[in-house]
Amino acid sequence: MSETKGYYSESQKRAIYAYRARNKEAYNKYQRERHHWRLEHEEGYREAKEKQTNERNERNRKKREAEREAKVYLELLEQPKLENIIINKID
């Protein structure tokens, strides 16, 4: 066999993904329990998750600020400029 020890074969991967698809609720429950266990017992996991959350929040904050600035810029572009307004005088 040419498979490397420690890796799943293609058929094993298909079986795992099929199981997860059929048992989505059970698998989600398992993932939640595993996450809570890792938070309590694994060294550095909580800090890594906090760092990941902080980085994601920072990216989202920058994205929201950019969208807000773009919205303001577009609003300014839509406003008519004084020099472009032609006033018709009626004598």
Side-chain angles (χ1 to χ4, degrees):
M1 292 179 83
S2 65
E3 292 181 26
T4 307
K5 185 176 181 181
Y7 292 95
Y8 292 116
S9 68
E10 291 302 316
S11 60
Q12 288 172 319
K13 288 179 188 178
R14 284 193 304 272
I16 290 169
Y17 294 139
Y19 170 81
R20 289 178 186 172
R22 283 192 310 271
N23 301 292
K24 195 170 193 106
E25 289 181 24
Y27 185 72
N28 287 342
K29 181 182 175 190
Y30 160 76
Q31 287 292 80
R32 281 192 302 276
E33 290 171 356
R34 178 171 163 74
H35 171 70
H36 291 295
W37 183 89
R38 288 182 77 185
L39 282 174
E40 294 174 7
H41 297 94
E42 238 179 70
E43 193 173 311
Y45 182 76
R46 179 181 298 274
E47 290 79 16
K49 282 301 196 181
E50 287 174 359
K51 181 181 176 189
Q52 192 177 45
T53 300
N54 292 339
E55 289 172 353
R56 183 178 58 244
N57 289 343
E58 182 66 22
R59 280 193 314 267
N60 289 340
R61 185 184 63 75
K62 287 179 180 178
K63 181 180 172 186
R64 279 193 309 274
E65 287 177 358
E67 288 172 352
R68 195 175 303 125
E69 288 176 9
K71 183 179 176 184
V72 168
Y73 180 72
L74 289 174
E75 288 174 356
L76 288 174
L77 287 178
E78 290 174 357
Q79 291 179 354
K81 293 184 180 177
L82 211 54
E83 58 268 9
N84 293 338
I85 297 176
I86 301 173
I87 299 175
N88 292 329
K89 268 188 167 179
I90 301 177
D91 291 322

